[in-house]
Amino acid sequence: MSTARRPLLALVGDQYNHEEPAHPRIEPLMPALGVDTQWIPTSEIDDSTDFTRFDGIWVVPGAPYHALQGVHRAIRFAREAKTPLLGTCGGFYSAVLEYAQNVLHLAETAELGNDLGPIEKLIIPPTCTADNTNRVSLFLREGSRLSELYGGRTEIEEILQCDYGMVQEFLDAATQGDVRFSGWDKGDAPRALEITDHPFFMACLFQPELSSTPGAVHPIVAGFLTAIYTAADLAAPDFTKPVAGAPSVDLEGYERILNSVRNDPRTRAAFANGSTFSQIDIDAGLRAVTRASSDGDIRLLAVQNVSAQPRTFTPDACLPQAQQWGTPIMFLSGAMESGTTEADALACTLEPGAVAWLGVFPADSGTVPPGFTALTGQGTA
């Protein structure tokens, strides 16, 4: 699997929005299951966005999204093109609203744009918890695909952080077609939906990714990934054990490294409102995402080795601001080795599954952190 083509999954959402705990779980988990990922920011999705290159689409948690219509375009593509789709947490109600607006043309959604303002009167204020182990009882529709994924069970317990609700009359009207609810809580509020005549189209308010680990993948996530492998014309691995040829990952360590950067007052602005992110092209076997503060004075780079072999990259190519500003590239957190190429360029090497965060700060910005380590091309960071 290390050299063969791997399925490519679009992560539709706004990375680390609202400090969403699912994002740092999904990011390291997918390569451990042999799947490559590409972040698609919601505000960058328009009618020209090419989703045909993806084997599946995951509308990840993190609502309200920066651009709801961007999310709807992704869902509509998956629905019409029969591309496997999974929506979790905020992706659940996005799937409801997309169908109501684009297929059923319900009057309540006629003015729905990139925010939820036009339908606020339909939303029942949620109660949310920061406890990402909070479990609730749910009931599944007998004979549904969702029930089949649980081995035919009709009663389950799942992790639910926010009990978002919508007016029942609207929900009844929004499912007068192919989209059908397949899971409810004790109060009969819908918590999952699906389209049966589709390779895989499922959305749930609960979060199966939070209880997934390599070798113990949640049945919904396993079913979704199996559909993705099928779409890629590849044989799906056995998700009950580590995937051969995929890197081993430390899920808790990955999040701990992220938190050390996003909670640091010296770099926090690159995660605040108005900050931007972009997944960039980099050498094979690596996934790289850049982030910038709203004023552009903080530029961060996160690089993860998603392969089963050590991988090397040149940070100067990913952070050209260092040369523009005449300031060094700083090592912020993670684990890697630094050295130089034959051309005397700075090079960094990551072990399989490892992640490292780097940063650049303008010399005259007043934000150059004295406590970080400048990369010199020698040693282990």
Side-chain angles (χ1 to χ4, degrees):
M1 184 172 294
S2 58
T3 58
R5 176 182 181 271
R6 304 199 298 188
L8 181 59
L9 171 64
L11 300 180
V12 172
D14 304 305
Q15 188 196 44
Y16 308 144
N17 200 24
H18 315 304
E19 297 190 3
E20 173 55 55
H23 296 179
R25 172 58 64 104
I26 294 171
E27 285 182 321
L29 179 64
M30 290 300 102
L33 301 177
V35 175
D36 289 330
T37 58
Q38 172 77 46
W39 275 100
I40 310 293
T42 63
S43 59
E44 295 181 9
I45 300 173
D46 56 27
D47 290 337
S48 67
T49 303
D50 181 16
F51 284 105
T52 61
R53 63 194 182 96
F54 296 104
D55 302 302
I57 297 172
W58 190 336
V59 179
V60 300
Y65 302 102
H66 292 171
L68 182 60
Q69 286 302 312
V71 176
H72 284 194
R73 286 184 173 93
I75 295 172
R76 182 172 188 170
F77 175 86
R79 179 173 51 78
E80 295 178 344
K82 304 293 187 180
T83 298
L85 176 130
L86 176 63
T88 52
C89 198
F92 169 68
Y93 278 117
S94 294
V96 173
L97 292 171
E98 186 279 326
Y99 195 77
Q101 185 174 45
N102 293 330
V103 178
L104 301 176
H105 306 292
L106 296 186
E108 294 91 336
T109 62
E111 303 300 321
L112 186 59
N114 279 328
D115 63 71
L116 297 173
I119 62 164
E120 281 186 347
K121 61 184 180 182
L122 302 177
I123 299 174
I124 300 173
T127 300
C128 296
T129 174
D131 180 8
N132 58 15
T133 64
N134 179 58
R135 290 184 175 271
V136 298
S137 297
L138 300 168
F139 303 92
L140 310 183
R141 176 162 52 83
E142 186 175 0
S144 64
R145 176 174 291 180
L146 181 59
S147 176
E148 291 176 0
L149 290 175
Y150 286 89
R153 294 167 56 194
T154 57
E155 296 186 22
I156 60 172
E157 282 192 351
E158 285 296 347
I159 296 173
L160 186 71
Q161 290 190 289
C162 286
D163 59 352
Y164 277 97
M166 299 189 77
V167 174
Q168 189 61 47
E169 290 77 10
F170 172 77
L171 292 175
D172 291 341
T175 53
Q176 299 300 309
D178 292 335
V179 169
R180 296 190 63 191
F181 290 130
S182 53
W184 298 262
D185 66 12
K186 288 183 176 180
D188 290 331
R191 296 305 184 221
L193 63 79
E194 62 187 59
I195 294 178
T196 303
D197 185 22
H198 193 285
F200 192 99
F201 190 103
M202 190 173 293
C204 51
L205 191 62
F206 53 92
Q207 296 182 253
E209 65 275 4
L210 293 179
S211 57
S212 291
T213 60
V217 182
H218 190 285
I220 292 178
V221 176
F224 175 53
L225 295 184
T226 297
I228 289 177
Y229 270 89
T230 300
D233 292 324
L234 297 170
D238 180 358
F239 294 118
T240 65
K241 57 186 179 181
V243 175
S248 60
V249 296
D250 178 358
L251 300 179
E252 288 72 24
Y254 186 94
E255 184 172 11
R256 186 168 56 250
I257 291 168
L258 165 64
N259 287 337
S260 71
V261 179
R262 68 177 171 183
N263 294 334
D264 192 311
R266 299 169 294 181
T267 50
R268 189 178 297 153
F271 301 87
N273 289 339
S275 62
T276 58
F277 76 97
S278 177
Q279 185 163 332
I280 61 175
D281 292 333
I282 197 171
D283 296 337
L286 296 170
R287 182 184 60 81
V289 177
T290 60
R291 299 193 65 88
S293 58
S294 59
D295 61 7
D297 278 354
I298 299 176
R299 301 297 180 101
L300 306 184
L301 170 70
V303 182
Q304 180 191 9
N305 184 350
V306 297
S307 75
Q309 297 84 31
R311 299 285 182 175
T312 299
F313 69 99
T314 53
D316 289 337
C318 303
L319 290 171
Q321 294 81 12
Q323 184 175 2
Q324 297 168 11
W325 297 338
T327 57
I329 295 176
M330 301 282 190
F331 172 78
L332 308 181
S333 189
M336 68 178 194
E337 293 186 358
S338 61
T340 55
T341 66
E342 293 181 357
D344 205 32
L346 183 64
C348 300
T349 300
L350 294 170
E351 292 300 313
V355 63
W357 282 82
L358 308 178
V360 178
F361 310 82
D364 60 352
S365 69
T367 60
V368 179
F372 291 139
T373 303
L375 293 180
T376 61
Q378 297 181 351
T380 301

